[in-house]
Amino acid sequence: HEGLEGAKSVAGTAITAENIRMVSWPATSVPAGAFQSTKALLGADVRVALRPIEAGEPILPGKITGPGG
């Protein structure tokens, strides 16, 4: 399974194509709710980190704002 992981980001950082990447994880290792496509995460509206995101950490909805930040 593929999922998105973040680069080290602090709260308030905009989520962009430059600070995320697709990675392959074993199916049993993908956390429930983790974003699994850039299209689902990066739309016309910006999303912002609500809390720090560590490098390699799966991007979960509770760590970022909804569309429009």
Side-chain angles (χ1 to χ4, degrees):
H1 282 55
E2 291 194 324
L4 292 169
E5 69 176 22
K8 187 169 178 73
S9 301
V10 297
T13 300
I15 305 300
T16 67
E18 289 76 36
N19 60 15
I20 62 170
R21 68 180 181 142
M22 289 296 293
V23 295
S24 292
W25 285 310
T28 57
S29 296
V30 180
F35 285 93
Q36 296 186 26
S37 74
T38 55
K39 186 175 181 177
L41 181 60
L42 303 175
D45 295 319
V46 173
R47 293 178 189 252
V48 175
L50 292 170
R51 292 180 249 160
I53 298 173
E54 295 299 321
E57 180 180 351
I59 300 176
L60 300 170
K63 288 261 186 168
I64 61 173
T65 63

